[in-house]
mmCIF file of all heavy atoms in Angstrom:
data_model
loop_
_atom_site.group_PDB
_atom_site.id
_atom_site.type_symbol
_atom_site.label_atom_id
_atom_site.label_comp_id
_atom_site.label_asym_id
_atom_site.label_seq_id
_atom_site.Cartn_x
_atom_site.Cartn_y
_atom_site.Cartn_z
ATOM 1 N N GLY M 681 -24.077 1.326 -4.745
ATOM 2 C CA GLY M 681 -24.996 1.406 -3.618
ATOM 3 C C GLY M 681 -24.984 2.786 -2.977
ATOM 4 O O GLY M 681 -26.029 3.315 -2.590
ATOM 5 N N SER M 682 -23.801 3.371 -2.869
ATOM 6 C CA SER M 682 -23.705 4.706 -2.270
ATOM 7 C C SER M 682 -24.489 5.705 -3.095
ATOM 8 O O SER M 682 -25.223 6.552 -2.569
ATOM 9 C CB SER M 682 -22.247 5.162 -2.218
ATOM 10 O OG SER M 682 -21.484 4.276 -1.459
ATOM 11 N N ASN M 685 -28.144 5.358 -2.536
ATOM 12 C CA ASN M 685 -28.612 5.966 -1.289
ATOM 13 C C ASN M 685 -28.581 7.484 -1.350
ATOM 14 O O ASN M 685 -29.433 8.160 -0.762
ATOM 15 C CB ASN M 685 -27.800 5.439 -0.107
ATOM 16 C CG ASN M 685 -28.285 4.049 0.307
ATOM 17 O OD1 ASN M 685 -29.496 3.778 0.258
ATOM 18 N ND2 ASN M 685 -27.367 3.175 0.687
ATOM 19 N N TYR M 708 -24.381 1.358 8.026
ATOM 20 C CA TYR M 708 -23.532 1.873 6.960
ATOM 21 C C TYR M 708 -24.361 1.896 5.686
ATOM 22 O O TYR M 708 -24.945 0.878 5.313
ATOM 23 C CB TYR M 708 -22.294 0.997 6.766
ATOM 24 C CG TYR M 708 -21.447 1.434 5.592
ATOM 25 C CD1 TYR M 708 -20.796 2.669 5.610
ATOM 26 C CD2 TYR M 708 -21.317 0.647 4.455
ATOM 27 C CE1 TYR M 708 -20.032 3.100 4.538
ATOM 28 C CE2 TYR M 708 -20.555 1.062 3.372
ATOM 29 C CZ TYR M 708 -19.920 2.293 3.419
ATOM 30 O OH TYR M 708 -19.173 2.720 2.352
ATOM 31 N N HIS M 709 -24.413 3.070 5.042
ATOM 32 C CA HIS M 709 -25.188 3.164 3.802
ATOM 33 C C HIS M 709 -24.329 3.601 2.619
ATOM 34 O O HIS M 709 -24.863 3.786 1.528
ATOM 35 C CB HIS M 709 -26.370 4.111 3.983
ATOM 36 C CG HIS M 709 -27.398 3.590 4.964
ATOM 37 N ND1 HIS M 709 -28.139 2.468 4.732
ATOM 38 C CD2 HIS M 709 -27.756 4.037 6.198
ATOM 39 C CE1 HIS M 709 -28.945 2.226 5.762
ATOM 40 N NE2 HIS M 709 -28.725 3.160 6.671
ATOM 41 N N GLU M 779 -31.634 -1.069 6.791
ATOM 42 C CA GLU M 779 -31.521 -2.394 6.176
ATOM 43 C C GLU M 779 -32.441 -3.320 6.952
ATOM 44 O O GLU M 779 -32.585 -3.177 8.166
ATOM 45 C CB GLU M 779 -30.101 -2.945 6.317
ATOM 46 C CG GLU M 779 -29.048 -2.234 5.523
ATOM 47 C CD GLU M 779 -27.686 -2.835 5.850
ATOM 48 O OE1 GLU M 779 -27.049 -2.389 6.811
ATOM 49 O OE2 GLU M 779 -27.283 -3.769 5.146
ATOM 50 N N ASP M 812 -32.640 -0.170 2.461
ATOM 51 C CA ASP M 812 -31.337 -0.373 1.823
ATOM 52 C C ASP M 812 -31.167 -1.877 1.640
ATOM 53 O O ASP M 812 -30.946 -2.618 2.596
ATOM 54 C CB ASP M 812 -30.236 0.219 2.717
ATOM 55 C CG ASP M 812 -28.850 0.082 2.111
ATOM 56 O OD1 ASP M 812 -28.643 -0.843 1.300
ATOM 57 O OD2 ASP M 812 -27.965 0.893 2.459
ATOM 58 N N GLN M 815 -27.022 -4.973 0.533
ATOM 59 C CA GLN M 815 -26.387 -6.229 0.969
ATOM 60 C C GLN M 815 -27.309 -7.433 0.800
ATOM 61 O O GLN M 815 -26.843 -8.537 0.534
ATOM 62 C CB GLN M 815 -26.038 -6.140 2.464
ATOM 63 C CG GLN M 815 -24.945 -5.163 2.807
ATOM 64 C CD GLN M 815 -23.561 -5.802 2.741
ATOM 65 O OE1 GLN M 815 -23.413 -6.966 2.380
ATOM 66 N NE2 GLN M 815 -22.554 -5.024 3.054
ATOM 67 N N LYS M 842 -24.407 -3.789 -4.901
ATOM 68 C CA LYS M 842 -23.584 -5.016 -4.855
ATOM 69 C C LYS M 842 -24.021 -6.147 -5.804
ATOM 70 O O LYS M 842 -23.505 -6.229 -6.910
ATOM 71 C CB LYS M 842 -23.502 -5.512 -3.418
ATOM 72 C CG LYS M 842 -22.726 -4.550 -2.495
ATOM 73 C CD LYS M 842 -22.398 -5.170 -1.180
ATOM 74 C CE LYS M 842 -21.891 -4.166 -0.155
ATOM 75 N NZ LYS M 842 -20.496 -3.775 -0.334
HETATM 76 C C1 PLP N 1101 -25.932 -1.560 3.381
HETATM 77 C C2 PLP N 1101 -25.042 -0.872 2.405
HETATM 78 N N1 PLP N 1101 -25.490 0.181 1.724
HETATM 79 C C3 PLP N 1101 -24.735 0.809 0.813
HETATM 80 C C4 PLP N 1101 -23.434 0.440 0.576
HETATM 81 C C5 PLP N 1101 -22.596 1.194 -0.402
HETATM 82 O O1 PLP N 1101 -22.405 0.503 -1.579
HETATM 83 P P1 PLP N 1101 -21.197 0.864 -2.580
HETATM 84 O O2 PLP N 1101 -19.939 0.491 -1.886
HETATM 85 O O3 PLP N 1101 -21.511 0.046 -3.810
HETATM 86 O O4 PLP N 1101 -21.269 2.313 -2.867
HETATM 87 C C6 PLP N 1101 -22.918 -0.662 1.263
HETATM 88 C C7 PLP N 1101 -21.537 -1.119 1.015
HETATM 89 O O5 PLP N 1101 -20.936 -1.883 1.711
HETATM 90 C C8 PLP N 1101 -23.736 -1.320 2.217
HETATM 91 O O6 PLP N 1101 -23.271 -2.360 2.926
#
Side-chain angles (χ1 to χ4, degrees):
S682 300
N685 281 323
Y708 175 66
H709 294 295
E779 291 176 273
D812 181 334
Q815 292 271 3
K842 294 192 192 282

